[in-house]
Each structure stands twice: as structure tokens, then as C-alpha cells.
Amino acid sequence: MNDKQILQAMSGLMAGMFVAILAGTVVANALPRIIADLGASQSSYTWVVTAELLAMTATVPLWGKLSDLYNQKMLLQLSLSLFIVGSLVAGLSHDVGLLIFSRVVQGIGAGGLTALAQVVMAAIIPPRRLGKYAGIFGAVFAVGTVAGPLIGGVLVDTSWLGWRWCFFIGVPFALLGIILLQRTLKLPTVRREVTIDYLGAFLIVAGVCALLIWTSLAGNSFDWASWQTAALTLTGAALLLAAVFVEARAKDPVIPLSIFRNRTVTLTTVASLFVGVAMFAGTVFLSQYFQIALGKSPTVAGLMSLPMIGGLLVSSTVAGQLISRTGRWKGYLVGGGVTMTIGLALLSTIGADTHFGLLSLYMAILGIGVGMLMQNLVLAAQNDVPAQDLGTATSVLSFFRSLGGTVGVSVLGAILANRVASEMTKGLGAAGIAPEGGGHAVPDMTQLPDALRPIVENAYGVATGDLFLISAPFAVVALIVVLFIKEKPLKTTSGMERRLAEAEAEAGAESGAGVEFAKDGPGDEGTGGAPVADKEPAGR
């Protein structure tokens, strides 16, 4: 495929990724208002974020495995459809419970988009050229991350629209993505004799959910040291151990344990886990900091995130171009790890009185580090696995990055709530004001009396700085892991070319049994890579 054909094929992917990013970012600046309107608590604030991440994390391996078995375009369109349903339900929610449920549905769709977009990219673009297009995806990521908070802030501040349109706004983009994918993405489907490991899939999802629910509720609904903690952790560990037992013996496991024999896959997976903790946990509460600690409106809070997104956009685009030109990639991983660590350490010094110029510099440094690390870890793993395992390897990295982010958001959300409560109690005591309630409700800054405003601002400023301080060691661990990754030359053939060659070799070895190709091209519109008759000529 030439550059024009690749860009056409990527148009639907980019629309889909924009939708997935929008789902998380458009509500960032609206959440304080949403939670205040629904009369919910800081715990609910965390759950609205965590619910989507949990669902996305738990389903990413399943989407990745399905992409190795079924038509990837159809799966992408299915995930976009789920996102549309979740968005409509979220926009019509009148209580926080239904809102959290709708975020779960959105998360399942976002899990498909997260895993499949990168799988399809690897299928149509050789690793040596992938850096350039990964830079384009980095730009889409940056635009979505910038546009989301800005759109969300404007919608919340516009009285005749309101926060519900933060969820409705993504629906047209999701529909556009479905249409573009149907018209521009042409992929053959390689079919093999397979069995779906339903038991393994159930055990993985159940085990991960048990542990994520524990990290979400511990410190808020019950103590870290409690019988609930023991029950959830033991249940989660038992389910995951059972999953390992089942996966080791399954004919077609959801996550083949053999993939971890590959040193590059193992190291990039561990690095992605810690990058997820540092990236998600360090940034998800920034919008709350802007609005509560600094007293800014949702729209202004969206604008204040531009330095971090600008750093991410520049670093991911420039690094991608240079990797495609030189074929060298490890230096960017190491540089990204160092820069991300420095950015988190600097952000740990912020408070309610931090000057925006200094804050912008710190955020830009963090964005530069994340931009060099995030996509290039996936590139390193995709370059070092057989083509038939591209979907699994990609989804494993996305799974562990999301897992790290979900655990980080949950744990640090609980730490933030307790730290704010303690700082509020201390501030109220110093001011001679008797505290009311437990201090866990997210305050509506527009309704606070002048005497309380500085106390609340200081509490959230101190607590947010502490979150970045706690996140920094995870970035250090990611950097150490990256140092042990061995740099290998980037392949010059696409994943689909390699996969077809592997399938043809397998078919030849088995006299054609068990493998067939379904064409999804201009003359085969609407088949979506459906099975073809035995006598029909194979597709490309």
C-alpha cells in the first residue's frame, strides 16, 4: 500500500480513536459539575472515571484475541456501536448509578477501539514505516485530548446545552467512523481451525474485575485492612491462578502464556503497566485541580491542559518521523522514561499558589516523556512477534497499560479523598470553623462562602501535588525496565503480508486444511471477510 492508500484506510481508524479519546477527556472538566449536580461524592467522581477504565481493561485481551480469529473491520464497527449505546445512556442518566453503568458500556467499546486500532495499523503498515503513522495517531490523540476538555468545558458553561451533551457529542464521530471503515478499510480475513476459550476469558475478566473493584472501594467504602479486602483480593488471586491453569492447557488461549517467553514482549508489558500508573494516575485529577485548587471555570481548565498535550503531540510526531527515517527506537524509549520521571517529580511541587507559567513548563515536560514512550513500546513489541500473534501482543500491552491506569486512578483517588479530608479538617481547625460532614463530597466552588474557599483550594492543591509525588517512582521503574529492552531492526513487511505468508506456509504443510482466505475488497463490499466457499479463489 502506498501512503495515500494507507491514509485512506486509516481515516476510519483515526475517527474511531478520536471517539475513544473523547469518551475519557470530554467529561474531564465536566465531572466536578456533574458530580455536584447529581449530589454524589468524591468516591463517585473516581468511579465515573474508573468504570470506563475497568471495562476497557478487562475486555482488551478479548478484543485482541477476537482480532486474530475474525474480521477486524467488523469488530471495530461493533466496538463503535457499543460506544454509541453507552454514550446515549450516559447523556440520559439522572442518577450516578446509571451514569456509571453507561460508562461501563462505553468502556467495552473503547476496549475494542484501543486494541483493534493498533492491530489494524500493524497489519497494513510495516514496522519500519509504522513510526511515521504512529506519529499521526499521536497527533489525533493530542487533538482529542485537547478538544475533549475544551468541548466539555464549553458545553458545561453553555446554559442551553449542559453537561449531558458531553456524552452526545461523540455519537456523530462514532457514526462517521463506522461509515469510513466500511468504505476505506479493506482487509482479508485469515481463518484457522480454532476453539474459543470461554472459560479462560471468564476467569481473566472476573479476576481482574475483583482486584479492580477492591482498589476502587478500599479506603472509601471500607478500610484497606478489612475482611472485604481479604475477600476481594483472595477471590481475584484465585480466579487469576485458575485462569493461568486453564490458559496453559487451552488449545487456543485468550492470552497465550508462551508469548511471555519473548523478552521484548515481557519487558514492554511491564513498562506499559508502570507507564499506565504514572500517566493516568498523574493526569486524570488535573482538571479537578484546575477548577478547585486554582478556581478556574471548566472552559479555562481545558485551555490550561494545552502545554501537556502540546508536548505529547510534538514528541510523538517528531519521534515517529525519526524512527521511520533511522530505524532506531530504543533511545526514544529511554529518553521518554527519563523525561516523564522528571515531569512527575516537578509536578509534585505544585500547590494552590503555583504560577501558571511554571505549571505549564512542568506539564509540557511530562507530555514530552509520555509521547516518546506510549506508542513506541507497542512498536517494539509488534516488531518482535509472529504476525499471527500481533493482535494478542498488542492487546496484552494495552491491557496492562489500562490495568496500571485503572489501579492508579482507583488507589490515588482514595488517597486524594483522604488527603483532602485531612487537609480540610486541619484548615478548618486553624480557622476556628467546626467541620461539617466527612469532607469527602466534591465541593461546588460557585456555592462556597468566601471564608471556606482558600481552605478548599489549599487542600486540593496539596493533595494533587502528593499524587504526582506518589506517581514518580512508578515512572522510575518503567525507565529501569526499558533499559533492559534489546533494540532489534524494524521489519520492512506489514503484519498482513507476514500473516498471509505464514498462513500459506501452514496451508502448504497441511495440504490446505484448516486455512482459508476471505477477501474484503472493492469487489466484495459488505461481506466483511465472511467465510468463502471451498472452491472460491483465495483473496489477496
Side-chain angles (χ1 to χ4, degrees), residues 138-339:
V140 173
F141 180 89
V143 170
T145 311
V146 171
L150 287 175
I151 293 170
V154 170
L155 291 173
V156 170
D157 287 339
T158 304
S159 59
W160 52 277
L161 290 173
W163 59 262
R164 296 184 186 279
W165 280 92
C166 292
F167 301 104
F168 296 146
I169 195 71
V171 173
F173 293 102
L175 291 171
L176 176 64
I178 291 174
I179 295 169
L180 287 174
L181 285 168
Q182 184 63 33
R183 293 179 61 86
T184 63
L185 186 60
K186 313 297 178 184
L187 285 175
T189 298
V190 181
R191 293 201 179 282
R192 295 178 290 139
E193 291 291 336
V194 296
T195 56
I196 299 177
D197 180 21
Y198 293 106
L199 178 58
F202 168 77
L203 291 171
I204 291 171
V205 171
V208 169
C209 286
L211 294 178
L212 292 180
I213 289 170
W214 165 61
T215 60
S216 300
L217 297 179
N220 287 315
S221 300
F222 50 81
D223 292 332
W224 288 97
S226 63
W227 70 266
Q228 292 97 330
T229 289
L232 286 170
T233 54
L234 290 175
T235 300
L239 288 169
L240 291 178
L241 283 175
V244 171
F245 180 83
V246 170
E247 293 294 272
R249 289 158 178 77
K251 182 179 179 181
D252 260 307
V254 176
I255 301 179
L257 300 182
S258 60
I259 199 171
F260 293 108
R261 295 173 189 162
N262 184 307
R263 174 179 169 177
T264 302
V265 171
T266 301
L267 291 175
T268 52
T269 297
V270 175
S272 294
L273 174 71
F274 290 106
V275 168
V277 174
M279 179 180 68
F280 283 96
T283 58
V284 77
F285 298 104
L286 267 178
S287 290
Q288 193 175 30
Y289 164 78
F290 294 147
Q291 294 181 59
I292 298 178
L294 302 185
K296 306 299 181 183
S297 70
T299 303
V300 173
L303 290 169
M304 291 179 75
S305 64
L306 287 174
M308 183 173 66
I309 306 308
L312 190 152
L313 169 61
V314 171
S315 66
S316 64
T317 304
V318 172
Q321 294 286 346
L322 292 175
I323 289 172
S324 290
R325 186 178 303 169
T326 64
R328 307 302 297 268
W329 47 267
K330 183 174 178 179
Y332 300 100
L333 294 181
V334 175
V338 171
T339 308

Side-chain angles (χ1 to χ4, degrees), residues 383-400:
N383 183 61
D384 202 32
V385 296
Q388 66 178 13
D389 290 332
L390 270 176
T392 301
T394 303
S395 64
V396 163
L397 260 69
S398 298
F399 168 71
F400 278 95

